[in-house]
Amino acid sequence: MSPVPELDEDDLDAIAPPHLVFHVEQALLGALLLDPHRLGDVTGIAAASFSTAAHAALYTAISTLPPPDPAEHAKNTKWLDHVLTAARKQTRGLTASYLHTLVQVCPWAHHAPAYARMIEAEHARRRLHSAAERLIQATHDASLPHPIQTVLAEADALAAVVDDIASRFPPRAGVLPRTPAPPAAIAPDHTEAVEEEQLLLATATAHPADIDSVRWLLPDDLTLPLHAGLWQCLTTLARRGEPVDPVTVLWEAQQRGLLNDGSEPREVIRLLAEPAGSLDYWGERTLQRSLLATADQAGHHIEAYAGDPANTPFQLVVGARRSLADIAAIRTRWQHATGPMPTRRPRPPPPTRAGPPTTTTAAVAHTARAARATR
């Protein structure tokens, strides 16, 4: 469960947030103050569901104090005084006049379940936004000793939030999010990535027999279009069983139009002629970088969906699951790349074919027949 918002004594009506849910919260709290017995009709929310500390404190007080006798409550404000005293233990800035304001702004007390549903939906949006932010932060945290494990754990936590929202809100028609994809962030410095991808391509060119061991690496995992195209050339030549060297790869690249961007053939040959290290190592490095980039992009997409109040909770679920599917796909390839190698069963020896007779009698008969044939 999300933590209760931080307390702020000035967190009241005078500085109301611009979000519509603030007014919905006021309507619900007013309904419960006016008719405390309607608390039994309110489900799906808790103190942490409210957007301000003052509202969270009031809801906690209302939901924990015994409800008053309806007849007595209609005659005096004794129960309201108890609510105010209990809520002030968490938020000192609350006043009796604010409680009266809440009662006055509530349109209809019997609409309390609808108000609660709106608050639950907005809380779901905030939870999803926060989980997406944590995923994005993890992808950029250079201090993590095991970045992939941390990022995947955050992705799992985000998926759990999505599943919880899906269980609370049934599907409806028109589920696709209307929010456009966010613009690309400032391009990071890919200097290290470019250098490692060049070593990957050169090592694969020098050792084409090893390409089959990194089948989990796809062209889209490489950062530069030229590098992605060259990797596709290498895998294609290796799959066909054709000769692989810098010249044959360059020719394949020309056939695919990869040199139309102005790449110099001499530079491409030089790039492919300087191998170093292990192909598996450079492949894992490239895949790790691609996984982090995929998680970062998915996080930004989900963050944009959650930041758009026009999206319903189920639209958020659909959009988030689509983005999380991209992480799941590359996660599977990462597990294939880094998991234990499967134990290969020894192949059974080929069946023995029937050969010519080897007994002495058969050999003598064969010699006799050969002698007769020469007569």
Side-chain angles (χ1 to χ4, degrees):
M1 179 179 294
S2 302
V4 176
E6 293 184 4
L7 305 182
D8 185 351
E9 59 182 284
D10 296 325
D11 191 14
L12 300 177
D13 182 57
I15 51 172
H19 303 294
L20 183 149
V21 73
F22 181 84
H23 305 287
V24 179
E25 292 173 3
Q26 285 187 319
L28 174 63
L29 293 173
L32 297 179
L33 291 172
L34 186 64
D35 191 351
H37 290 82
R38 294 195 179 276
L39 183 64
D41 301 330
V42 174
T43 59
I45 63 172
S49 304
F50 290 81
S51 62
T52 72
H55 289 176
L58 281 171
Y59 185 80
T60 299
I62 293 170
S63 57
T64 54
L65 289 174
D69 178 79
E72 288 295 322
H73 186 57
K75 296 178 181 179
N76 57 63
T77 62
K78 183 181 298 185
W79 186 77
L80 294 180
D81 294 337
H82 291 324
V83 170
L84 181 60
T85 300
R88 275 179 171 172
K89 294 179 181 179
Q90 300 183 50
T91 305
R92 295 189 301 273
L94 279 169
T95 63
S97 63
Y98 187 66
L99 269 65
H100 289 290
T101 298
L102 295 176
V103 172
Q104 292 173 357
V105 300
C106 175
W108 297 100
H110 64 275
H111 288 173
Y115 302 149
R117 190 63 166 169
M118 298 174 192
I119 293 170
E120 184 183 8
E122 189 62 24
H123 183 227
R125 187 188 314 281
R126 293 199 303 271
R127 290 174 59 204
L128 188 63
H129 194 278
S130 297
E133 281 186 333
R134 290 192 295 271
L135 175 62
I136 295 171
Q137 291 171 0
T139 63
H140 294 280
D141 190 348
S143 65
L144 294 174
H146 305 290
I148 295 298
Q149 290 87 334
T150 302
V151 167
L152 293 179
E154 290 294 347
D156 289 339
L158 176 54
V161 172
V162 174
D163 290 342
D164 182 64
I165 296 174
S167 68
R168 293 170 178 265
F169 295 89
R172 292 184 178 181
V175 296
L176 293 177
R178 295 183 291 269
T179 310
I186 299 175
D189 184 7
H190 287 311
T191 302
E192 183 180 15
V194 169
E195 293 176 352
E196 292 185 354
E197 289 174 8
Q198 290 175 348
L199 292 172
L200 167 78
L201 296 169
T203 305
T205 304
H207 306 285
D210 295 339
I211 293 178
D212 188 60
S213 67
V214 292
R215 285 179 293 177
W216 32 260
L217 189 65
L218 301 180
D220 288 343
D221 294 324
L222 283 73
T223 57
L224 296 183
L226 175 62
H227 291 179
L230 290 174
W231 180 252
Q232 193 168 20
C233 292
L234 281 162
T235 55
T236 299
L237 290 174
R239 185 177 65 253
R240 293 174 184 167
E242 298 182 8
V244 176
D245 60 38
V247 174
T248 61
V249 175
L250 180 64
W251 182 259
E252 182 71 19
Q254 177 178 274
Q255 302 303 302
R256 293 173 178 267
L258 298 179
L259 306 182
N260 294 343
D261 62 352
S263 299
E264 290 291 337
R266 181 180 301 177
E267 288 300 317
V268 175
I269 289 180
R270 183 193 60 79
L271 179 156
L272 298 172
E274 299 177 356
S278 163
L279 183 60
D280 286 339
Y281 174 79
W282 298 124
E284 286 187 20
R285 291 281 296 174
T286 302
L287 185 60
Q288 173 177 316
R289 190 176 294 105
S290 180
L291 191 154
L292 295 177
T294 300
D296 178 65
Q297 185 180 41
H300 278 98
H301 283 177
I302 296 172
E303 187 181 51
Y305 297 150
D308 185 353
N311 289 323
T312 66
F314 196 75
Q315 284 178 311
L316 297 180
V317 169
V318 173
R321 282 179 169 170
R322 285 195 171 193
S323 297
L324 289 170
D326 295 335
I327 301 178
I330 194 169
R331 179 183 199 159
T332 300
R333 292 194 287 122
W334 174 258
Q335 291 171 341
H336 288 165
T338 60
M341 294 296 294
T343 303
R344 295 185 178 181
R345 297 180 180 179
R347 293 183 179 180
T352 304
R353 296 182 178 179
T358 56
T359 61
T360 303
T361 304
V364 171
H366 176 74
T367 304
R369 287 196 298 270
R372 286 196 299 270
T374 57
R375 291 179 182 175

